[in-house]
Amino acid sequence: MRVAGALFVVLAAVATLSACGRAGEADAPSLQGYVEGDFVYAAPEIAGRIADIEVREGAQVEAGALLFTLDRQTIEAELRQSEAELAAAEAELADRREGQRPVELSVIEAQIDKARASRDQAEKEFQRQQDLFQRGVIAKARLDQASETLSVAEAQLAEARRQKDVATLPARKAQIEAAERQVEAARAGVTQAKTKLAKTNVRAPEAGLIDDVYYRPGEVVAAGEPVLSLLPESERKIVFFVPEPQLAQLPHNAKIAISCDNCPAGLTARVTRVSAEAEFTPPVIFSEKRRGKLLFRAEARPVGDTARLRVGQPVDVRLVAAEPGS
């Protein structure tokens, strides 16, 4: 559609310039052009179902305004799962660093108390048997038996104490490092889920006009697929066509005057680009009389308020005399 419009403008410009050329080279003819826009296409970074479109076609939005949102339920579930996995991994790491839990340690403490009581009882019994042996009341075999019972009780108490020492020790270094890697992986999962959740809200990269909306709520959109187009305020430009004899009058940043239907008076623009190739080339050898039929595409950025310039709108362009000292 835009190509056909450009071709129409080129042909019209050729006719106008030819007529002006016949009228006299002294007059500076009006060049024909049109308004063009560099659109920004807002697309999600992730695939999903569109939950809501927050803007309408033709609406003016500010930079950072919410344009549309994707459904969040699946990603919120992923986030909850990732947070649960992180909590489990952190608990496992703490357990490996600190040893057994207090409840398990209390069981070992009870075993120590029991072993200590048995040892105390065996010690008292040994002392009693030793006293009886010294008085000649019992045989030495009874004293040896009491001594053996005491030795067993002391060994059981020592074993219970060693079990407590082992229970309070942290896990081996390799086990702790493995648990730390699990925590890091779980944290990365949480960060990834939060990042995806943030990407369900798509905002305007800059202020501009909503030109077209391609999807509706409930439809599924792929990652990178445009949902709407936005024309930033600074991205309107004037496209016009300059005959070859006037190229020397059109340096970079040259000032041009713009006029169009229903446009405010005094609009100007600055030339930003002149094409290196001609847009229209007759299939003949170019003589000096025919060089005026060679047109070169030029672009200019409007200066000031451009809100009333519509994309595709035809405009007339005139070169403005160079300012003194420029």
Side-chain angles (χ1 to χ4, degrees), residues 14-80:
V14 171
T16 301
L17 293 173
S18 298
C20 291
R22 290 192 297 271
E25 297 290 333
D27 296 332
S30 173
L31 306 178
Q32 294 186 2
Y34 57 92
V35 181
E36 195 172 86
D38 291 332
F39 291 90
V40 173
Y41 296 93
E45 296 183 50
I46 58 175
R49 186 180 303 277
I50 297 178
D52 198 10
I53 303 289
E54 303 291 341
V55 294
R56 296 182 179 274
E57 296 170 351
Q60 192 74 26
V61 297
E62 298 297 327
L66 184 61
L67 299 178
F68 62 91
T69 59
L70 300 180
D71 183 76
R72 301 162 60 94
Q73 291 184 358
T74 302
I75 303 176
E76 287 175 344
E78 292 178 2
L79 177 58
R80 290 193 295 269

Side-chain angles (χ1 to χ4, degrees), residues 41-48 215 221-227:
Y41 296 93
E45 296 183 50
I46 58 175
Y215 283 84
V221 61
E225 183 72 18
V227 172

Side-chain angles (χ1 to χ4, degrees), residues 189-207:
V190 171
T191 301
Q192 183 179 14
K194 288 182 177 180
T195 301
K196 289 178 64 177
L197 196 62
K199 290 180 179 179
T200 59
N201 293 331
V202 179
R203 301 183 179 275
E206 52 186 306

Side-chain angles (χ1 to χ4, degrees), residues 233-253:
E233 296 176 354
S234 60
E235 295 303 324
R236 291 179 176 87
K237 60 186 177 184
I238 305 300
V239 177
F240 61 103
F241 300 87
V242 184
E244 188 271 342
Q246 296 186 31
L247 285 178
Q249 305 174 32
L250 201 70
H252 181 77
N253 207 39

Side-chain angles (χ1 to χ4, degrees), residues 39-305:
F39 291 90
V40 173
Y41 296 93
E45 296 183 50
I46 58 175
R49 186 180 303 277
I50 297 178
D52 198 10
I53 303 289
E54 303 291 341
V55 294
R56 296 182 179 274
E57 296 170 351
Q60 192 74 26
V61 297
E62 298 297 327
L66 184 61
L67 299 178
F68 62 91
T69 59
L70 300 180
D71 183 76
R72 301 162 60 94
Q73 291 184 358
T74 302
I75 303 176
E76 287 175 344
E78 292 178 2
L79 177 58
R80 290 193 295 269
Q81 179 180 353
S82 298
E83 289 174 339
E85 292 174 352
L86 174 59
E90 288 176 337
E92 178 68 18
L93 176 59
D95 183 70
R96 291 187 180 277
R97 283 175 173 171
E98 297 176 3
Q100 298 189 22
R101 293 183 296 273
V103 175
E104 296 171 326
L105 291 177
S106 64
V107 174
I108 297 176
E109 288 285 357
Q111 292 175 347
I112 292 175
D113 292 341
K114 180 180 178 180
R116 185 183 296 111
S118 298
R119 191 278 315 268
D120 292 344
Q121 183 178 1
E123 186 175 12
K124 291 179 181 179
E125 179 63 19
F126 172 74
Q127 292 175 354
R128 189 175 73 87
Q129 295 294 336
Q130 189 177 35
D131 181 61
L132 292 174
F133 174 74
Q134 291 176 352
R135 287 189 294 162
V137 177
I138 62 172
K140 188 173 185 303
R142 293 277 300 274
L143 178 63
D144 292 341
Q145 183 179 1
S147 176
E148 184 179 351
T149 301
L150 176 60
S151 298
V152 171
E154 288 177 342
Q156 289 175 343
L157 177 60
E159 180 183 3
R161 287 172 174 170
R162 285 195 296 271
Q163 286 179 351
K164 180 181 178 181
D165 292 339
V166 172
T168 55
L169 288 175
R172 292 190 298 273
K173 182 178 179 181
Q175 293 175 326
I176 293 177
E177 290 178 350
E180 289 174 343
R181 300 293 86 78
Q182 290 178 347
V183 170
E184 291 176 2
R187 284 176 180 165
V190 171
T191 301
Q192 183 179 14
K194 288 182 177 180
T195 301
K196 289 178 64 177
L197 196 62
K199 290 180 179 179
T200 59
N201 293 331
V202 179
R203 301 183 179 275
E206 52 186 306
L209 179 72
I210 302 300
D211 180 68
D212 201 359
V213 179
Y214 311 121
Y215 283 84
R216 293 293 180 265
E219 295 181 320
V220 176
V221 61
E225 183 72 18
V227 172
L228 56 84
S229 58
L230 170 74
L231 179 60
E233 296 176 354
S234 60
E235 295 303 324
R236 291 179 176 87
K237 60 186 177 184
I238 305 300
V239 177
F240 61 103
F241 300 87
V242 184
E244 188 271 342
Q246 296 186 31
L247 285 178
Q249 305 174 32
L250 201 70
H252 181 77
N253 207 39
K255 187 177 181 180
I256 61 173
I258 307 167
S259 60
C260 57
D261 296 336
N262 300 318
C263 289
L267 286 178
T268 61
R270 291 286 182 178
V271 175
T272 57
R273 175 178 177 267
V274 177
S275 175
E277 297 182 7
E279 295 286 328
F280 177 76
T281 306
V284 295
I285 300 299
F286 299 115
S287 64
E288 290 186 6
K289 293 182 180 180
R290 294 182 180 274
R291 289 176 185 171
K293 294 184 178 182
L294 277 178
L295 299 180
F296 290 80
R297 175 188 170 104
E299 297 178 4
R301 293 287 177 178
V303 178
D305 184 15

